[in-house]
DNA sequence: TCTGGGGTCCTAGGACCC
DNA sequence: TCTGGGGTCCTAGGACCC
C-alpha cells in the first residue's frame, strides 16, 4: 500500500523580534539590534532572545548570556522583549498563512507548518505558491521569512533553515537523502546538545553517518528515540500537520536579580506568580488538579515538587496554599535561591467541567 | 559562555487496585 | 504469607522546542 504523496511547507520568520522592532523604529536600520534581558553594563542576567544579522556579525547568537553579548557588541541597540507586540504581529501572519493550507500547525510564535498537498500538483507549483506567500507577508507586514518545502515536516523544517534570511529551499522526495546526508545530526528535530554528544561518542556526526548506522544498536542506546532517529536520518517522517490540541499546563517563573536567602521575598514572588497563573486559568476557563513549585539554587541545581489535589479547582486560595506548602521544603538558610516558579496542570476544561459536577 | 521563560513529551520508580 | 501480572496514576527529573 503506497502512501499518499504530501507537499509540506515550513515557514520561519526571519529574526522575528528584532525585525518587528526595526520596522517600528526605522532609525535602528543598519545597526546591530538585540532583544532580550537588560545587559546592565555587562552585569545583567538572562539571555539574548533574538538578534538581527548585524549583531550576528559580532558573534552574538540567540540563547547566549546577555553579559557575553555585551562584551561582543556593547554598541548594539538593546531592547526588552515586547511579547504583547510580537504576539499581535504573529496572529496576523498566522492568519495569512492559514488561508493557504489544507492543514495548518503553528509552531512557536514565529513558525508554522502548512500541508498544501491539495493546493498544488507538483513542486514547481509549490514553489510559486511559496513566493506568493512570501510576497503577501512582505506587502502586508513588511517582514521577510524563509520557507522550506519537502515531502514531510522534518524535511520542510530543515529546508527552511538551509537558506536564510528571505530564503526558499525546495527538496523533492527523490532528493531527500542526498540533501540530508552531509548535514550535522544537530539539524534533525529533537537532536539537541545531549543527543548530539551521545551520537558523537558513537562516531556519528552527520545525518549520513546516522542513516548508515545499525538501527538495532540505535534502539538499544536510545530506546524509542533510537528508532525515530534512524527513520529521520532516512528522511522519513509520517507525522501529520495538525492544529495544537488543548493546553496542558500554565506556568510562571522568575529569576531574581541577585540570588537570595530572603524567604519573605521568595514567598512574595511566588504569590505574584501564582496570581498571574491564576489569571490565565480563569481567562481560559480551566480547572486544575496539580500544582508544581520549581526552585533553582545559586549553583543552578533545579528541583520541582508537585502535589495532585483530591479535587479540581480554579481558586487562587487553593493554588497559593498548596504552592506555599510545596515551597517550604526548599527554604534552607544555607542555600540561596536563584529562581522560583509555579505551574498548574492536570486540567479539566470548563466546558466539560459542568457535565461532571 | 555563567546560563530566561513558556511550553511539550518521555522515562523510571512506586503506589494502588483488581 | 515470601509473593503474579496488568493497568493507571502520581512524582521527579530531564531533553527538547522557540
Amino acid at each position: 500500500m503506497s502512501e499518499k504523496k504530501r507537499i509540506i511547507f515550513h515557514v520561519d520568520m526571519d529574526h522575528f523580534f528584532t525585525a518587528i522592532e526595526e520596522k517600528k523604529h526605522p532609525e535602528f536600520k543598519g545597526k546591530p539590534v538585540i532583544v532580550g534581558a537588560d545587559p546592565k553594563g555587562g552585569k545583567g542576567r538572562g539571555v539574548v532572545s533574538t538578534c538581527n544579522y548585524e549583531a550576528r556579525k559580532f558573534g552574538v547568537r540567540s540563547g547566549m548570556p546577555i553579559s557575553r553579548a555585551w562584551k561582543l557588541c556593547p554598541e548594539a541597540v538593546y531592547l526588552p522583549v515586547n511579547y504583547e507586540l510580537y504576539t499581535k504581529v504573529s496572529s496576523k501572519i498566522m492568519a495569512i498563512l492559514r488561508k493557504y493550507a489544507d492543514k495548518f500547525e503553528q509552531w512557536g510564535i514565529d513558525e508554522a507548518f502548512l500541508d498544501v498537498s491539495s493546493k498544488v500538483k507538483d513542486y514547481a507549483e509549490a514553489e510559486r505558491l511559496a513566493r506568493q506567500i512570501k510576497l503577501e507577508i512582505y506587502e502586508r507586514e513588511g517582514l521577510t521569512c524563509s520557507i522550506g518545502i519537502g515531502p514531510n515536516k522534518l524535511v520542510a523544517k530543515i529546508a527552511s533553515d538551509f537558506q536564510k534570511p528571505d530564503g526558499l529551499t525546495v527538496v523533492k522526495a527523490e532528493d531527500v537523502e542526498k540533501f540530508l546526508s552531509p548535514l550535522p545530526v544537530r539539524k534533525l528535530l529533537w537532536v539537541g546538545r545531549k543527543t548530539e554528544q551521545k551520537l558523537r561518542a558513537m562516531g556519528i556526526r552527520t545525518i549520513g553517518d546516522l542513516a548508515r548506522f545499525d538501527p538495532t544498536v540505535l534502539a538499544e542506546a536510545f530506546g524509542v528515540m533510537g528508532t525515530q532517529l534512524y527513520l529521520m536520518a532516512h528522511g522519513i517522517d509520517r507525522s501529520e500537520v495538525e492544529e495544537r490540541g488543548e493546553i496542558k499546563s500554565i506556568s510562571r517563573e522568575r529569576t531574581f536579580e541577585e540570588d537570595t536567602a530572603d524567604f519573605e521575598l521568595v514567598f512574595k514572588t511566588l504569590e505574584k506568580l501564582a496570581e498571574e497563573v491564576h489569571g490565565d486559568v480563569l481567562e481560559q476557563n480551566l480547572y486544575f488538579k496539580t500544582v508544581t513549585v520549581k526552585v533553582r539554587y545559586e549553583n543552578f541545581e533545579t528541583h520541582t515538587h508537585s502535589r495532585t489535589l483530591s479535587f479540581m479547582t480554579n481558586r487562587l486560595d487553593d493554588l497559593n496554599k498548596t504552592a506555599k506548602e510545596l515551597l517550604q521544603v526548599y527554604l534552607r538558610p544555607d542555600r540561596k535561591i536563584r529562581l522560583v516558579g509555579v505551574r498548574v496542570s492536570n486540567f479539566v476544561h470548563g466546558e466539560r467541567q459542568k457535565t461532571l459536577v
Side-chain angles (χ1 to χ4, degrees):
Chain A
M1 192 160 55
S2 87
E3 251 184 288
K4 196 184 166 298
K5 294 267 183 281
R6 297 183 294 163
I7 295 187
I8 310 295
F9 286 8
H10 179 253
V11 181
D12 189 355
M13 298 305 297
D14 298 322
H15 64 103
F16 191 52
F17 297 175
T18 45
I20 293 173
E21 296 290 354
E22 281 174 26
K23 214 189 89 194
K24 191 174 157 197
H25 306 274
E27 67 273 21
F28 296 163
K29 235 351 188 182
K31 293 184 185 170
V33 181
I34 296 171
V35 168
D38 185 343
K40 295 184 177 167
K43 305 257 180 267
R45 272 189 161 176
V47 299
V48 172
S49 188
T50 315
C51 58
N52 66 359
Y53 281 81
E54 282 79 5
R56 288 179 208 195
K57 285 180 199 158
F58 292 84
V60 179
R61 295 286 180 274
S62 66
M64 173 183 283
I66 201 77
S67 54
R68 187 160 174 235
W70 180 264
K71 278 186 201 121
L72 292 168
C73 191
E75 67 268 40
V77 177
Y78 286 88
L79 301 168
V81 183
N82 185 351
Y83 271 111
E84 220 174 302
L85 172 61
Y86 311 151
T87 303
K88 265 187 203 155
V89 179
S90 169
S91 307
K92 291 195 214 167
I93 307 262
M94 295 302 158
I96 293 171
L97 294 176
R98 202 177 247 111
K99 302 183 306 197
Y100 287 98
D102 297 318
K103 296 179 194 162
F104 179 80
E105 179 176 350
Q106 185 170 341
W107 186 266
I109 194 168
D110 69 336
E111 299 181 19
F113 289 101
L114 285 68
D115 186 328
V116 297
S117 303
S118 86
K119 310 276 190 196
V120 296
K121 71 171 196 303
D122 57 25
Y123 279 90
E125 266 188 27
E127 193 176 331
R128 283 196 290 277
L129 182 64
R131 292 200 190 283
Q132 193 183 330
I133 291 174
K134 282 163 69 80
L135 186 64
E136 179 167 352
I137 291 176
Y138 189 75
E139 285 180 344
R140 306 246 305 237
E141 299 301 326
L143 299 171
T144 63
C145 63
S146 298
I147 301 186
I149 304 179
N152 57 50
K153 286 162 70 175
L154 173 77
V155 174
K157 176 105 168 76
I158 296 173
S160 73
D161 184 57
F162 194 71
Q163 245 190 315
K164 274 178 160 183
D166 203 13
L168 174 54
T169 303
V170 182
V171 182
K172 297 177 195 168
E174 61 264 34
D175 300 328
V176 164
E177 295 216 44
K178 191 176 64 191
F179 170 71
L180 294 179
S181 183
L183 301 177
V185 288
R186 188 60 202 268
K187 293 282 175 187
L188 291 172
L189 253 175
W190 318 126
V191 176
R193 223 183 63 238
K194 295 283 177 181
T195 308
E196 181 188 33
Q197 275 173 14
K198 234 175 127 181
L199 287 169
R200 180 171 303 169
M202 297 165 78
I204 301 168
R205 283 166 188 271
T206 67
I207 298 178
D209 294 339
L210 187 59
R212 286 184 294 272
F213 212 79
D214 183 346
T216 60
V217 178
L218 289 173
E220 267 168 42
F222 294 95
V224 182
M225 170 79 171
T227 310
Q228 198 54 40
L229 282 173
Y230 185 76
L231 291 173
M232 286 197 299
H234 286 274
I236 297 166
D237 170 21
R238 298 190 174 87
S239 65
E240 291 286 338
V241 174
E242 55 191 351
E243 300 268 0
R244 291 278 154 183
E246 284 164 337
I247 191 164
K248 302 267 170 63
S249 70
I250 294 173
S251 67
R252 288 287 189 286
E253 60 186 55
R254 200 68 60 226
T255 297
F256 295 103
E257 301 211 347
E258 278 175 34
D259 301 335
T260 181
D262 176 352
F263 300 149
E264 195 60 37
L265 173 65
V266 179
F267 273 120
K268 279 260 157 54
T269 307
L270 184 74
E271 211 167 294
K272 220 182 279 168
L273 296 172
E275 257 174 54
E276 291 183 31
V277 166
H278 181 249
D280 282 12
V281 164
L282 291 190
E283 203 174 301
Q284 305 206 38
N285 194 23
L286 299 170
Y287 292 75
F288 58 90
K289 281 191 79 178
T290 305
V291 176
T292 304
V293 161
K294 177 171 168 180
V295 165
R296 176 170 291 150
Y297 292 117
E298 56 185 328
N299 66 352
F300 223 72
E301 188 184 305
T302 308
H303 297 276
T304 61
H305 194 26
S306 64
R307 181 183 301 157
T308 299
L309 304 171
S310 58
F311 53 93
M312 45 204 155
T313 177
N314 65 353
R315 296 179 57 228
L316 180 58
D317 256 14
D318 294 326
L319 175 53
N320 260 326
K321 191 161 158 285
T322 312
K324 281 183 179 173
E325 280 175 30
L326 290 168
L327 178 63
Q328 290 289 350
V329 289
Y330 293 124
L331 299 182
R332 295 174 33 185
D334 56 327
R335 301 208 71 177
K336 283 191 179 173
I337 289 174
R338 181 188 177 93
L339 167 150
V340 64
V342 61
R343 178 170 74 231
V344 296
S345 56
N346 226 335
F347 293 134
V348 176
H349 292 259
E351 207 65 32
R352 272 182 287 141
Q353 161 73 8
K354 288 180 203 137
T355 67
L356 291 174
V357 171

